[in-house]
Amino acid sequence: MKIGEAVVSEDELKEIVKSLADKINADYAEDEELIVVGILKGCFVFMSDLVRNLKCDVKTFFMEVSSYGDGTESSGKIVIKKDLNVDIGGKNVLIAEDIIDTGITLYQLLPILEVRKPKTLRICTLLHKPERTQREIKIDYKGKVIPDKFIVGYGLDCAERFRQLPYIAEVEFADE
Ligand code: IMP
Ligand code: MG
């Protein structure tokens, strides 16, 4: 497999992140605490850019969940590989996702977090592939809608490769 056509450029990524941060900044006061929960590993580049644009009292935590194996299709059930090491009871929580594809990951994760009784629980995703939706999720902050193509870069991988690409591109598979 190799990197194909660019789907979101570095400049556009900057604009998207800035506009997401502007919306989040409008919703939380500067002295308000916000627990940003990144869903590893895909979030790590996006989240680092996002939090540097946030003005409220940000604290960063991570969870690792997986529904994908080494392939490009969701297995349909999530496994929590790393849980949060913070009590989110009574806190403002914002989930930072790289991409919402089928919606299965967040559909399963949300009730797990809801029972911990956060004050607010919102979702911020850089990308959304609505054509692939299997579970409807209320997305509070959505960066960009993209077509049904498997993409990599800016933290997103294909079998752990290409996360370091500074922009987002399609993957070309050898047999295509
Ligand atoms: P969902 O459960 O189908 O919504 O997808 C959850 C996760 O699958 C995302 O957070 C990504 O980590 C991964 N994923 C979905 N689509 C892509 C893609 O096009 N490229 C890389 N990873 C993806
Ligand atoms: Mg992810």
Side-chain angles (χ1 to χ4, degrees):
M1 80 192 144
K2 62 177 186 164
I3 295 164
E5 233 173 276
V7 175
V8 192
S9 69
E10 276 189 80
D11 282 350
E12 192 182 357
L13 282 167
K14 264 199 195 113
E15 279 166 30
I16 295 168
V17 171
K18 179 75 173 59
S19 94
L20 285 170
D22 286 348
K23 287 181 194 132
I24 297 167
N25 286 333
D27 288 350
Y28 300 90
E30 290 201 11
D31 60 353
E32 212 170 356
E33 185 187 41
L34 181 62
I35 307 277
V36 181
V37 175
I39 310 300
L40 292 169
K41 296 181 215 169
C43 72
F44 83 105
V45 179
F46 166 54
M47 181 163 156
S48 70
D49 282 344
L50 181 73
V51 295
R52 282 180 287 176
N53 282 281
L54 296 183
K55 294 184 175 144
C56 57
D57 182 13
V58 167
K59 305 211 171 127
T60 55
F61 292 90
F62 295 94
M63 281 184 95
E64 187 170 5
V65 301
S66 74
S67 64
Y68 278 72
D70 273 355
T72 58
E73 285 297 313
S74 175
S75 65
K77 198 169 185 325
I78 63 161
V79 179
I80 296 193
K81 291 182 163 175
K82 180 206 173 313
D83 205 342
L84 280 178
N85 54 1
V86 62
D87 179 4
I88 58 168
K91 310 276 188 182
N92 292 312
V93 176
L94 178 68
I95 296 176
E97 255 288 28
D98 49 356
I99 183 166
I100 297 179
D101 181 37
T102 62
I104 289 171
T105 304
L106 286 184
Y107 185 81
Q108 293 191 23
L109 184 59
L110 287 174
I112 294 170
L113 297 178
E114 294 277 11
V115 297
R116 302 178 190 182
K117 301 265 176 271
K119 183 178 166 201
T120 60
L121 179 59
R122 292 187 183 143
I123 294 171
C124 174
T125 188
L126 176 69
L127 303 169
H128 184 215
K129 270 192 225 169
E131 288 168 49
R132 299 254 309 161
T133 302
Q134 288 184 35
R135 297 283 184 282
E136 290 289 346
I137 303 288
K138 182 178 173 284
I139 305 172
D140 301 280
Y141 309 100
K142 188 193 295 188
K144 184 177 167 115
V145 167
I146 57 157
D148 180 12
K149 303 246 169 76
F150 200 80
I151 47 146
V152 291
Y154 201 65
L156 287 97
D157 73 307
C158 187
E160 296 303 330
R161 297 183 65 195
F162 311 128
R163 291 193 197 273
Q164 83 277 23
L165 202 67
Y167 59 96
I168 288 179
E170 255 181 70
V171 185
E172 275 177 18
F173 296 95
D175 57 356
E176 277 177 11

